[in-house]
Each structure stands twice: as C-alpha cells, then as structure tokens.
Amino acid sequence: MDTIWNYRWLLLQGLGVTVQVTVLAGLLALALGIATGLARRGPPLIAWPVHIYVEVFRGTSALVQLFVLFFVLPGMGLRLDPMTCGVVGLGLCYGAYCSEVVRGALNNFPRAQREAAVALNLTGTQTLTRVVLPQALLVMLPQLGNLMVELLKASSLVSLITLADLTFQARSIMRLTLHTVEAMSVLLVAYFVLAQLISFGARALEARLGGAWRGRTEER
Amino acid sequence: MTVFKPLCAMALATAIFTLPAAADELSDKAKSGAALAVGTANEAPFSSIGPDGALKGSDIVLLNAVLDAMGVSGTEGVLTEFGALIPGLKANRFDIIAAGLYISPDRCKQVAFAEPIFAIGNTFIVPAGNPKNLHSYADLEADPSLKAGHTMGSRLRGEALEMGVPESQLVALPDGPALIAAVKSGRVDAALYPALSAQTLIDASKDTAIERADPFETPVINGKPRVSYGSFAFRPEDKEFLTTFNAELKKILASPEYLEMVRPFGLTAAELPGKVTTAELCGG
C-alpha cells in the first residue's frame, strides 16, 4: 500500500478530474434531458430534430463520440479543449438517455389530471410547473439517479482524450509499479463511494420533493 | 509499443477527415515563443510520470536537450493513452510525440519520424529459473504445448510468426502487467516483450518470481538481426522544423554527454541506433 501512498497526489488529481467531468456532464445531461424530453411533446417541427438527436447520441457509443469531438472536429476547424470535449461528449450522450426517461414519465402522466387542470383554467405553463412536473419528477428521479451512476463510470472514457482521470492514474500506477491489486482496490472503493454519494443525493432529493409536494397538497 | 488496432483504424478515419495544414506551422509556433505540446504515454523507461506528476524518461531528457539546443524554450507535456498519441498528433492536439515510439513503415505513412534515437531487441519474460529452458523462438516452436503471450497489436506477434512459431501458440493480452500476471499464473510459458521495457517492469515490480530469459538469441530475419528502432514523431507538414531538429539531434546523440543523460533510465551504448536512417526503416 505504501506504493499507492507515494502516488496519492496523482490519484487525488485523477479523482478531481473524475468528479469534475461527472458533475458538469451530469448537469448538462439533466438540463438537456428535461428540455428535450419536454420538446418531444411539442409541435413536430421541434419534436423531430430532438428525436433525431436522441437516436443518434443513444445509438452511437460514447467512446466514438468523444473521439470525434476531440480528434476529428479540429480538422474541421472546431477546437475544443479536452475538458469541454469530455463534458459536452458525455453530457450529450447521457442527455439522450435522460430525455427518454423524461418522455416516459410525461407520457404516463394521468390524462384526467391534465383535463382537471384545463377545467380549473390553468395555463399550459401552470399545468406543467404546478401539476405535471412535481409528480413526474418523482417518477423520473430513481431512473435519473441510475443514469448519473452510469455516467460516473463512463467518465473513465475521457482518458482517451488526454484527461487524466482516476482510472487513468490508477492504470498508470499499475503500469509503472505492477501493484495491480492495490491500485484496483483503490479504484473499486473510490467509485463505490462516489456512486453511493450520487444515490444518496438522488434519494434525498426524492424524499424532499415527495414531502414538499405532499405537504403542499395537504395544506390546501 | 503496443498498438491498439481499433484506434489505428480510427486514426485512419481521422486522417481522412483532417485537412492539410499550411506549411510548417511548428517552426512559426516555436518562434512565437508558445509552448510546444509534447504527447507522451507511460512507456517506461522512455517516458513515464513520477509520483510528483513530473514527466521523466530517456525520450523526455533527450527531447528537452535537443529543443534547448534549437533555442526552443517552452514545452508542455500531455500524458495520454498510447493509442491516442498518433491521432492526437494528427489532430494538432500535440506537436511532438515522445513515448519510445517504434519506427515502422505503417506509422511512417501517418507521421514523420526524426532520425532513430535507440535500437532495442526483444526478450522473453519467464518464471524465475526459466523452468522450460526457453532462450529462442526455436525453443518455443519445438514444443507445441508451450504458449507465449504478447501485448495486443504488438509487432512482436508478427516477429514470432515470421520465426515460425504457429499462431496456436500465441496469446494476446492487454498490457505489460497482464503479461506478467499470465507468466506468474502459468497461463503462458513466456511473454514476448521489448528487452529494455521488460527490465524496467521487472525492476519496478521487485518480483523474484519472474526474470528475463538469459541468454536470449536475437532473431535474424532475411540475414538482419531483428531489433526495433524508435524516435520522436512529428506531423509530416512540419518539415522545416524536423530538418533543424534532426541536425541538433545527431550532434547530441554523438556526444559523450548523451549516454550520461540516459544512464539513469537503463540505456547504454548498446542501445545507440548506429547508422540506420529513418528513410531506410520507413521503406520496410
């Protein structure tokens, strides 16, 4: 273990990169997912391009998307720095998955409640923010949490585009010292702890949103 | 030194998409004082990262010495996967590759190599005491029950096949550590590996269960001993820069100080490239 201790700064730097990529790409994926999930219910002129986005980014591998962003786009005159490539690449890819989760939750929303909202003379925006989203978000959260854990693990792909993340640093240490078991154990524990943080966050949000919504309906 | 075949295929795809750049941007970049981006990978003893995060290795010290002599001041090292090096150079992500890259005709079609900086033979990594008594490809070929491991996409696979070892005796594994694990667990009887890297790996692991086959008979193909030559790689467009670079490189390689510089990384006079030129090596 003392070998690993010698390389602790590299591992910590790697952890920093992993967390940064996961958090930023996660935020982008959630924002994109919700926006495009809603847009899929809109007029065909908006819904169709969004549909194509979802199918393209869900249907090609994240590794290839990162490769194209990083190595191919500079040849076409668009040069993004490695971190931007990683965040945009994983964000676009996982945004497509999130989009389907959002669409599913909205499609299964009880029709009677929408009709009731119309009967109460609520505007479209009011129906969305006051009636649909508070309940649909609760349905989406477990699946979105799931996708965020997936994203955390997919973040190790960024080593291809010169970002030295946690997995890359651990593999470097393995190559240099052959302490495979120790380096792998560190990875195992680190990813497990990070994944637990994400699921804990998702569950806490679920409890909070659930409570808030119930609280409000009871008041009225 | 291993090449990930799928990445090479993708590199080709990149080559198709990449538009040719204007004449020798690298000389202009160096003159402007901007730091040159050096693409490198963990390929000890040529290039690797230390516990403090600083790059070290024989390629790194030599590169810095040559650039100093050229009056180029700043470099910025980018550590990445070996397979991402050539695609990165072609996409202008790096200006120079310094990672013990072997010169091969296939790679010459993608990048422009400087003149050779080292010549290195290969070896077998075997269990301590060499229980199967393996010292050459002929020993391997003699017993069809023996297995030899090599890294995926390694040029050593081709070498073993040329030396008459049947494909059924060769096993592809992902990287050096996996090869050593396979030797130790008896999954393979020998691992084919570049000699210098094998020594570095064995030294680093402080593992007494494995050793280099000693002696090892260097294979001879078409009357020529099979050694691998390596060097720095540039974009083919940066011709003018490469010409100046080669001039300074030759001076430093010929100087006695060079061996002093690379001694800490285990390179000796035996690894000097001699008179072979990159043009000859690119010709096959």
Side-chain angles (χ1 to χ4, degrees), chain A residues 30-44 46-48 50-51 54 95 98-107 114 124-125 127-129 132-134 136-137 140:
Chain A
L30 289 175
L32 263 176
I34 292 173
T36 56
L38 289 170
R40 294 275 300 268
R41 298 181 59 85
I46 300 172
W48 267 98
V50 169
H51 184 68
V54 170
C98 290
S99 178
E100 286 294 280
V101 170
V102 173
R103 189 176 67 92
L106 293 181
N107 279 355
R114 287 186 194 276
T125 319
T127 311
L128 188 67
T129 56
V132 180
L133 278 184
L137 271 178
M140 295 172 204

Side-chain angles (χ1 to χ4, degrees), chain A residues 63-78:
Chain A
L63 182 77
V64 176
Q65 289 165 19
L66 287 176
F67 191 91
V68 169
L69 276 178
F70 192 75
F71 293 111
V72 180
L73 286 191
M76 300 171 173
L78 180 62

Side-chain angles (χ1 to χ4, degrees), chain B residues 64 168 231:
Chain B
N64 288 338
S168 57
S231 193

